[in-house]
């Protein structure tokens, strides 16, 4: 297996954190996004969507999309379980994974892509107003997640899951996207600090 990775790419980091939690290591190939290596003919042949991460299996099959890669790894290495143990657990993790991905992570990445000068190379048409819309959406999502978390340790319940990985990566990426995490969101900040203290967060 070969993992196509990029050091500062938040989606690639989701997979790296997941692998670290599982204690699994996969040889990786670095794709230089700033030099648009993801658009090279060789990488496009692997992933026509021109995005990292991508996992190439020994038979040449390519799995792209961070969560699809994580699901595959989870099937091969079930412990510790990160996609849930029973019907309800799996449903709640899926619910939070999707909420965090669509309502928090995606707006944070859009705010970054449409405001940061370094992203001009990838977003040839940067729309400042779209960045602002997404900043506001990310803050709305932070408020909802803060409320939902209450005192529970992890977003989908008592166990660390793929949803927490997406939450941590989204909140960490809020910094380069210039979205402050309000002091008001005490539950959210406590959750983020606990996730950031796990050894996997260094991945
Ligand atoms: N939905 C995809 C998103 C992948 C994605 O957007 N990757 C970014 C890096 S975080 C990328 O490759 N960007 C290159 C580009 O936009 O040209 C996933 O979950 O893996």
């Amino acid at each position: 297996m070969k993992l196509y990775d990029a050091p500062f790419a938040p989606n690639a980091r989701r997979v790296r954190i997941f692998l670290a939690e599982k204690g699994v290591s996969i040889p990786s190939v670095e794709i230089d996004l700033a030099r648009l290596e993801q658009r090279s003919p060789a990488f496009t042949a692997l992933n026509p969507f021109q995005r990292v991460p991508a996992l190439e299996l020994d038979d040449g099959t390519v799995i792209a999309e961070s969560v699809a890669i994580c699901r595959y790894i989870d099937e091969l290495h079930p412990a510790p379980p990160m996609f849930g143990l029973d019907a309800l657990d799996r449903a709640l993790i899926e619910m939070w994974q999707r909420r965090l991905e669509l309502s928090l992570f995606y707006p944070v990445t859009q705010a970054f892509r449409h405001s940061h000068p370094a992203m001009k190379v990838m977003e040839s048409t940067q729309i400042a107003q779209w960045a602002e819309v997404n900043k506001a959406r990310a803050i709305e999502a932070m408020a909802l997640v803060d409320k939902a978390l209450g005192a529970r340790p992890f977003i989908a319940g008592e166990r660390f899951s793929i949803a927490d990985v997406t939450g941590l990566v989204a909140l960490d990426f809020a910094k380069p996207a210039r979205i402050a995490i309000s002091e008001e969101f005490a539950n959210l900040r406590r959750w983020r600090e606990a996730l950031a203290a796990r050894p996997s967060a260094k991945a």
Side-chain angles (χ1 to χ4, degrees):
M1 269 194 244
K2 224 187 281 175
L3 179 66
Y4 293 86
D5 196 0
F8 303 108
N11 281 290
R13 183 170 178 235
R14 286 203 283 177
V15 172
R16 292 197 303 272
I17 293 177
F18 192 87
L19 291 172
E21 289 282 344
K22 291 278 180 182
V24 171
S25 97
I26 298 177
S28 66
V29 178
E30 193 175 317
I31 298 298
D32 189 337
L33 298 183
R35 288 172 182 251
L36 299 180
E37 215 186 320
Q38 70 277 26
R39 299 188 191 169
S40 69
F43 189 77
T44 304
L46 286 169
N47 181 8
F49 284 72
Q50 302 178 321
R51 296 284 192 275
V52 292
L55 180 70
E56 187 179 14
L57 307 187
D58 294 342
D59 70 357
T61 306
V62 177
I63 306 172
E65 297 296 325
S66 327
V67 178
I69 296 170
C70 293
R71 274 193 190 279
Y72 181 70
I73 301 297
D74 196 69
E75 294 279 339
L76 300 184
H77 303 273
M82 284 169 65
F83 280 92
L85 283 174
D86 57 27
L88 180 61
D89 202 22
R90 279 195 284 274
L92 292 176
I93 289 171
E94 177 76 16
M95 175 181 86
W96 279 110
Q97 154 53 32
R98 285 182 67 78
R99 282 177 169 173
L100 289 170
E101 174 145 355
L102 300 174
S103 304
L104 180 62
F105 188 34
Y106 181 71
V108 168
T109 57
Q110 288 298 300
F112 179 74
R113 292 179 73 103
H114 285 271
S115 62
H116 200 286
M119 291 307 289
K120 229 184 178 72
V121 66
M122 279 175 243
E123 287 292 341
S124 49
T125 311
Q126 283 185 310
I127 304 169
Q129 217 180 341
W130 181 237
E132 292 309 311
V133 166
N134 278 284
K135 278 184 190 180
R137 284 182 181 167
I139 292 165
E140 270 172 39
M142 285 180 194
L144 289 168
V145 174
D146 179 71
K147 201 164 169 206
L149 270 167
R152 69 177 185 249
F154 302 110
I155 190 61
E158 295 302 312
R159 260 186 310 273
F160 182 84
S161 76
I162 182 68
D164 297 293
V165 176
T166 298
L168 174 65
V169 170
L171 292 176
D172 283 354
F173 209 62
K175 194 174 178 186
R178 301 218 167 90
I179 305 170
I181 304 173
S182 163
E183 297 281 345
E184 267 176 48
F185 302 147
N187 300 325
L188 187 82
R189 293 171 78 95
R190 183 249 318 141
W191 175 57
R192 184 204 176 184
E193 272 166 36
L195 299 179
R198 297 171 78 90
S200 63
K202 292 190 179 65

